[in-house]
Each structure stands twice: as C-alpha cells, then as structure tokens.
Amino acid sequence: MVKTEIPGPKSRELAARRAAAVPRGVSVATPLAIVHAENALLTDADGNRFIDFAGGIGVHNSGHRHPSVIAAVKAELDHLTHLAFAVASYDAYVTLAERLNAITPGTHAKRTLLVNSGAEAIENAVKIARYATGRPAVVAFEHAFHGRTNLGMALTSKPMPYKKGFGPLAPEIYRAPFPYCYRCSEAKAGGGCCQSAAGYWDRVFAGLADPSQVAAIVMELQAGEGGFIPAPKDAVQAIAAFARANGILLIIDEIQTGFARTGKLFASNHYDLVPDLIVTAKSLAGGLPLAAVTGRSEIMDAPHVGGLGGTYGGNPLAARAAIAVIDLMAKEDLAARSAKVGGLIRGRCCELANRFPRIGDVRGLGAMIAMELVKDRSTKEPDKDLTNRVQAEALKRGLVLLTCGTYGNVLRVLVPVTVEDEILAEGLDVLERSFEAATA
Ligand SMILES: Cc1ncc(COP(=O)(O)O)c(C=O)c1O
C-alpha cells in the first residue's frame, strides 16, 4: 500500500543526509528509508508498505525477523555479546561448526571456520586451499562475483563497478568460461552442455594455467550478481572431474545459493556435488553478519595455529541466529517451500514471457529465478534500460525488485521463501503491471 509519492518526504530527507555523510561509492537500489521489516514486507518512514523481492540481497531466505531467530539472539544477549574465539571458546561457535559440518554435502570428516562476510570467507577458502596444496594459482569464472576485498574483486569478473580504479589486483587468478547457455552458440554432438564434451577442460586449461600449479577452482553453481545463470549439471560434473584428476580443490561459493534458496538446502545438492570447501554467508544467520568456510578436515587443518581467525569471526549472537536458522530450515522444510515458491514465480515469469517478447530468458533453480531482458529475441541485445524501467515502475507500485547481470539486463527475485502465498501473488501482479507500464 503506497500512500505517498515514492520517495516520500522522510525518505528524501534521509537520502539527503546519506549523500552528505556516506561516500557515493556505496550504491543504493532504491531511495527508501526503511524503518520496519516483517517476513516479506517492508515499511518506510513515510508509512508506505512494500513487498520485498530483494530479501536483503539473499540474506532473508527465512524472512525478515523470523521469531525463532529473534528469540535465539535475545537469549544469547543475556550471556555474551562478544568474547573473541581467540581468547576463549564458547558453545555457539562450536555448535554451529558441528551443525555446518553435518548438513553440508559429503559424509567425510569436516571442520568449519567462521568469519564475518562472504568476501572474508572466500579469502579464507583461497588461503586454506593454497596452504593445503602448496600451489599459487586460482581459477575463477566469467560472470563470477566473489566480493569486494582485494582478492574478492580479483576473483570477480565484472570490471565496472567492482574493479575499475581499484588495482593492482591480487595476482595468480585465471578466468575460465562460465556455461552461460542462453548466450552460447556452441553445440555438443549428442546434446548436453558443450563444456561437458570430452577433453573440453584440458583444452581450456592448455591456454589458461598449468593445472599442477592451480590450488583451486572457485565457482558459483548459479552465478548470482553475474545474472542468475545456473550451470548445467553435466558441465559442473566435468569441471569437478577435471579438478579431481589434477589435484585441484573445488571451492563452491554458496553465499547466495545456500540455505534453501535453490529448492534444496545447498545448490550443490542439485549437482550431486561434494565440494572440497563450501563457502556460505548471507541467509546463514537470518540477517546477522556471519560467514563460514566448511571443508575436508585434512584441508582445513593444513594452516598452522594462528594462521586463521579474526576478532569478530563467529560472534556469539550471529552464531546463535545461524543455529536457529538451521533448525527452522529443517522444521519448516524451507527447501520444499523454496521449490514451491520457485514454481509459482517461474510460472508467472513464463506467462509474462508469453506476453512480452523482450523477456528473452526465464531461468534459475528453485526460488532463485530471473528474467533476462533483450531488445530483440533473435539478436539477444541486452536491454538494460527496460530492466531499469521495470524496476522503477515496480517501486512506484510498492515492490522492491533487484537487477543483476554482467550487462545489467536481468531482473532477479530473492523474495523470502517464507513469503505468504497471497503476498507473493500480489508481488507478481505488481511485476506484471510494471512490465505493462514500462513497455507502454
Ligand atoms: C556469490 C557471492 N559471493 C560472495 C559475495 C560477497 O559477500 P559479502 O557481500 O558478504 O562480502 C556475494 C555477495 O553478494 C555473493 O553473492
């Protein structure tokens, strides 16, 4: 229910203060000042209600302020706010490590390191992989996003806005092609992804990096910021087989895909994949800042004592929130809910694609669904302007919607999977009205 023009006076006032106090480099997708959030709804300072298809950029798979997350954090507040795991041990960190070791793919012995952000977790995964293998090089993919720290941006593909002007970048990063089927013209004899063809990865590495010097391949199974591009299963299995054959560790970045976003607890579950190291963050702790690296014990235990850590990593409040999230994922079967919600979103997006020829592709696993907009379905020329117009029309009508993609032409849905059916239907109706307005 939008009561004022968007942005209203109070949002405008905070935006002006923000511009005067915060560097412009910190971008913002909407001009809103939000004062309250509940499951999939946001309220702004002017009393407007919004349906949240951004979900804190993939942080709120279990909804804003889930009661059991709030209760867990409140209970811990009476005991510890911060201690530093390098000073003494506390139960929340160890319990969460045990839980992550148990629920991540693979039945082998594991260890978990807790840190504060996705980028920090990726940095640590690479540090650990280099130490364990004694090799310097790391292979990442086109369309990848792995964070904004020095190593994170070196692993990230897109120069603007993530890398331009911020060099020199970390060395020994090599970029491989990502299986982006919608924009691929290769055909494989007998069907399937061209990247699963016999010898494909040997040929790629012949021109890329000496496999014996590569510590790890870092991969998102569905590229997130790069355009919500799910990798085909046969391609992922071929990459994994190549890595295994060459002693290269597979680091799977599940920061955006993890915790029931894709219709399974982890995207790796879709691929029957057991990563050597799996990196999680975002929806792990239901809104509190926390990230994790979970991996094979012998790899995780390679670095010397004192080589890993950080002041805040595994903060007790954030760790308690994450334990509550893991409990409710099982209790409320949020993976099944994600598959159902994803089916509804996909169905509506396919209907929209039948009406609007500038929707070139509808794709994604579970409730991680996107539409790629093009000027013409035959040329597939990206339509960033239309993407931005649909986003703006949605906001006017009370729907917060994010874009993504290397070419800025993808609308993505990251609505909490706990969204009520009627709120989801209302949001998808608004999406349709927004397409009508933007293409009129
Ligand atoms: C796949 C992926 N990796 C890494 C990151 C970086 O995480 P953070 O912003 O917590 O540093 C993100 C954030 O969007 C992400 O989507």
Side-chain angles (χ1 to χ4, degrees):
M1 197 198 338
V2 174
K3 295 184 195 159
T4 67
E5 57 171 339
I6 302 297
K10 290 189 175 145
S11 282
R12 286 202 301 274
E13 188 199 322
L14 191 64
R17 284 174 48 210
R18 172 183 173 134
V22 179
R24 65 180 184 148
V26 187
S27 65
V28 63
T30 75
L32 303 179
I34 298 296
V35 292
H36 188 77
E38 197 91 39
N39 200 11
L41 292 177
L42 305 175
T43 309
D44 78 2
D46 296 292
N48 300 306
R49 161 196 179 268
F50 295 87
I51 296 174
D52 183 13
F53 273 19
I57 321 186
V59 166
H60 288 297
N61 292 355
S62 56
H64 285 273
R65 301 175 55 256
H66 191 289
S68 44
V69 173
I70 295 201
V73 174
K74 279 187 174 164
E76 186 62 38
L77 268 172
D78 286 334
H79 299 284
L80 291 174
T81 57
H82 170 75
L83 180 72
F85 203 60
V87 170
S89 303
Y90 47 90
D91 179 80
Y93 191 122
V94 178
T95 298
L96 179 57
E98 290 167 348
R99 301 292 300 276
L100 285 169
N101 294 343
I103 63 170
T104 47
T107 53
H108 51 277
K110 295 178 204 144
R111 305 268 190 270
T112 287
L113 165 73
L114 299 178
V115 291
N116 303 294
S117 69
E120 191 187 354
I122 289 285
E123 294 254 351
N124 276 281
V126 170
K127 270 170 70 171
I128 294 165
R130 282 179 167 153
Y131 201 110
T133 59
R135 301 175 179 187
V138 177
V139 170
F141 287 85
E142 290 168 356
H143 309 292
F145 181 82
H146 297 293
R148 294 173 180 269
T149 55
N150 189 264
L151 181 54
M153 67 179 172
L155 291 166
T156 292
S157 176
K158 192 175 173 176
M160 191 58 190
Y162 305 122
K163 307 204 280 197
K164 185 176 173 232
F166 293 130
L169 302 177
E172 289 290 350
I173 309 293
Y174 301 89
R175 194 148 319 273
F178 188 83
Y180 191 168
C181 300
Y182 177 63
R183 294 192 172 276
C184 177
S185 53
E186 300 285 319
K188 184 188 153 206
C193 176
C194 59
Q195 294 200 0
S196 69
Y200 176 87
W201 286 103
D202 295 284
R203 288 194 295 281
V204 167
F205 271 74
L208 193 72
D210 173 2
S212 73
Q213 293 304 301
V214 177
I217 295 173
V218 184
M219 184 175 196
E220 295 163 87
L221 296 170
Q222 173 162 331
E225 304 302 304
F228 271 35
I229 313 160
K233 187 170 181 176
D234 54 354
V236 172
Q237 288 178 337
I239 295 161
F242 178 85
R244 215 169 23 250
N246 288 281
I248 299 171
L249 302 180
L250 200 55
I251 300 175
I252 297 298
D253 178 342
E254 293 246 20
I255 289 169
Q256 198 162 154
T257 53
F259 294 97
R261 174 49 52 189
T262 66
K264 295 190 186 279
L265 196 53
F266 298 103
S268 296
N269 302 129
H270 286 282
Y271 295 82
D272 302 325
L273 192 65
V274 178
D276 296 300
L277 299 171
I278 181 166
V279 182
T280 52
K282 291 197 185 272
S283 281
L284 163 64
L288 276 82
L290 187 67
V293 184
T294 302
R296 296 181 186 282
S297 294
E298 66 277 15
I299 298 168
M300 295 293 292
D301 272 341
H304 51 260
V305 173
L308 304 175
T311 304
Y312 287 114
N315 167 272
L317 302 174
R320 283 288 171 220
I323 294 163
V325 166
I326 290 170
D327 284 342
L328 74 92
M329 290 264 152
K331 200 164 128 227
E332 298 182 14
D333 198 356
L334 291 190
R337 176 74 192 152
S338 166
K340 181 169 176 235
V341 163
L344 295 170
I345 300 168
R346 174 183 286 280
R348 280 300 289 275
C349 290
C350 289
E351 282 170 30
L352 290 182
N354 288 336
R355 275 192 70 190
F356 300 101
R358 282 154 87 180
I359 300 176
D361 195 23
V362 174
R363 58 178 179 246
L365 299 167
M368 192 167 176
I369 301 288
M371 291 181 280
E372 175 156 358
L373 307 194
V374 290
K375 294 190 174 157
D376 181 306
R377 278 193 185 166
S378 53
T379 64
K380 299 186 181 177
E381 189 186 338
D383 201 338
K384 184 176 173 176
D385 288 346
L386 177 61
T387 311
N388 291 338
R389 283 207 305 279
V390 175
Q391 183 188 34
E393 293 294 340
L395 190 68
K396 278 195 228 165
R397 291 166 176 76
L399 177 67
V400 174
L401 185 64
L402 293 180
T403 66
C404 66
T406 301
Y407 316 111
N409 66 326
V410 179
L411 291 167
R412 58 168 157 173
V413 180
L414 283 169
V415 67
V417 303
T418 48
V419 62
E420 299 83 355
D421 286 348
E422 56 284 7
I423 301 290
L424 178 63
E426 188 186 333
L428 292 169
D429 286 345
V430 173
L431 185 59
E432 184 158 7
R433 301 287 89 77
S434 309
F435 261 97
E436 285 165 0
T439 52

